[in-house]
Amino acid sequence: GQDVVVRGQFTSNGALTNGADTNYRAINNNWPVFGFSSNLGTVGSTPVGTLFSLGLTQDEAIQYEGSSGYAPVPSLWKSYFSTGLDAVTFFHKDFSESSALSSSFDSKVATDSIAVGGQDYLTITSLSARQVFGATQLCGTESKTYLFLKEISSDGNMNTVDVVFPAYPIFLYSNPEFLKLVLDPLFENQEAGYYPQSYSMRDLGSNYPNATGHNDGNDEAMPLEECGNMIIMTLAYAQKAGDTGYLKTHYTLLKKWVNYLIDEALYPANQISTDDFAGSLA
C-alpha cells in the first residue's frame, strides 16, 4: 500500500490488515511499499525469530550469443518449477535444509583454511567464497547449464576471464563442474566464430545481463593474460575433474592461444593487465 498508510496502520494498531494494493503505478505516485509485520509476543528471555525471504525471479535471465546464435537463456529454476511462486515457496520452506548445508560448507572452509594458513587465511577465504558465489547465476536447462558471472566491485562485465581466474580455486574446491559451466559460454562464443581476434576474448559482454560477446573485437584487450588464464583454467578443470575430453573438445582454440603466446610473450606489445588501474604494461 501507500507508504504513509501502511506505516500508519502499524503505528496505530501494531499490526497490518493483510491487504494488497493492486493499483500498480509509478514509484513516486503515492509511494507504494511492501509492509511485513509479525507478532513476536511479549519481550522475554527466550529468543524469538521470524523468517523473511527476499529475492528476484527471472524467466529469461541472460541475453546470450553462443553456438546456436543469439537467444535468451532462462534461469535454471525454470527447469524445476512451473512458476516463480512455486520456486519462491520451495526456497522459503527449505530454509532449515539450506542453512544446514551452508553451515556445513562454512565449517569445511574454516577447518581447511585454518589448517593451511591460520585464522587470517580463514578471514580471506570465507569472504572470498561469499563474493564469488554472490556474483554468479545458474542459467540454462538441466541438459545445458551455464554459470554466468558478473563483475562486482568494478563494473558489469560478464564472465570476465581475469575475474574468473582468481575465482577458479573456490570452484575447484567446491565442485569442479562450476568452473566448466563458467568457461563453457566463453568457449562457445569464440568457437562459433563471433570473436575476430587471434587471442582470447577478455569478457563475454560489457554489461550484465548481455553475454553477447564482442563481434567487433573491440573488447578491453588483455591478450597475453587472458590466453594464459584460459589455458591454465581449462587444464585445471580437466585435471581436477578427470575430464580430458574437455581438452580435446576445445583443442583447436587452446592451440590457437598457445601459438599466440609463443609469438607474442617474449616481446609483449603495449597492453593492459587485470590491474588496469595501474595503466598499461609498457
Side-chain angles (χ1 to χ4, degrees):
Q2 184 183 359
D3 56 346
V4 294
V5 172
V6 173
R7 293 165 187 161
Q9 288 173 352
F10 187 79
T11 301
S12 300
N13 307 313
L16 299 177
T17 63
N18 202 31
D21 184 346
T22 57
N23 178 27
Y24 299 111
R25 56 194 183 272
I27 188 66
N28 61 351
N29 181 3
N30 290 326
W31 297 98
V33 300
F34 284 108
F36 299 91
S37 68
S38 180
N39 188 345
L40 302 179
T42 57
V43 176
S45 58
T46 303
V48 178
T50 187
L51 177 65
F52 294 98
S53 294
L54 301 177
L56 171 68
T57 61
Q58 297 172 297
D59 289 351
E60 296 180 345
I62 303 296
Q63 307 302 313
Y64 176 53
E65 190 163 32
S67 56
S68 300
Y70 170 81
V73 181
S75 296
L76 185 59
W77 65 262
K78 294 283 291 181
S79 294
Y80 298 91
F81 301 97
S82 299
T83 68
L85 183 59
D86 290 339
V88 171
T89 300
F90 174 86
F91 175 83
H92 186 78
K93 293 183 177 180
D94 191 53
F95 174 76
S96 295
E97 177 71 12
S98 59
S99 180
L101 290 171
S102 298
S103 297
S104 176
F105 182 71
D106 244 358
S107 296
K108 176 174 171 54
V109 171
T111 299
D112 293 346
S113 298
I114 290 175
V116 171
Q119 180 61 47
D120 288 346
Y121 187 56
L122 169 59
T123 300
I124 295 173
T125 57
S126 61
L127 292 174
S128 298
R130 285 159 170 78
Q131 186 175 31
V132 170
F133 287 114
T136 60
Q137 184 172 12
L138 281 167
C139 298
T141 63
E142 290 183 83
S143 60
K144 187 56 181 176
T145 305
Y146 297 103
L147 186 66
F148 290 102
L149 183 148
K150 176 189 176 186
E151 280 195 48
I152 56 177
S153 304
S154 51
D155 54 30
N157 295 163
M158 296 196 62
N159 291 49
T160 306
V161 175
D162 55 286
V163 174
V164 177
F165 189 74
Y168 93 83
I170 190 64
F171 292 145
L172 290 186
Y173 174 83
S174 57
N175 185 346
E177 185 74 7
F178 287 140
L179 180 55
K180 175 184 180 295
L181 296 182
V182 80
L183 293 178
D184 278 349
L186 287 162
F187 276 118
E188 287 181 10
N189 179 275
Q190 292 172 91
E191 287 170 343
Y194 295 124
Y195 188 62
Q197 305 290 7
S198 58
Y199 48 79
S200 170
M201 185 166 56
R202 174 187 176 267
D203 58 75
L204 198 55
S206 297
N207 300 103
Y208 171 92
N210 297 310
T212 50
H214 297 276
N215 295 9
D216 58 3
N218 290 328
D219 54 331
E220 189 176 352
M222 300 181 184
L224 292 180
E225 180 168 357
E226 307 304 31
C227 285
N229 287 343
M230 286 298 294
I231 293 167
I232 291 170
M233 289 191 291
T234 305
L235 178 61
Y237 161 73
Q239 291 177 329
K240 188 70 173 180
D243 185 4
T244 55
Y246 199 67
L247 299 176
K248 295 178 181 178
T249 298
H250 302 298
Y251 177 78
T252 300
L253 196 54
L254 291 168
K255 183 178 179 181
K256 179 180 178 181
W257 293 336
V258 168
N259 287 334
Y260 181 87
L261 291 177
I262 291 172
D263 293 338
E264 299 292 335
L266 187 60
Y267 300 103
N270 187 24
Q271 59 194 271
I272 58 175
S273 70
T274 190
D275 295 330
D276 51 4
F277 53 85
S280 61
L281 298 178

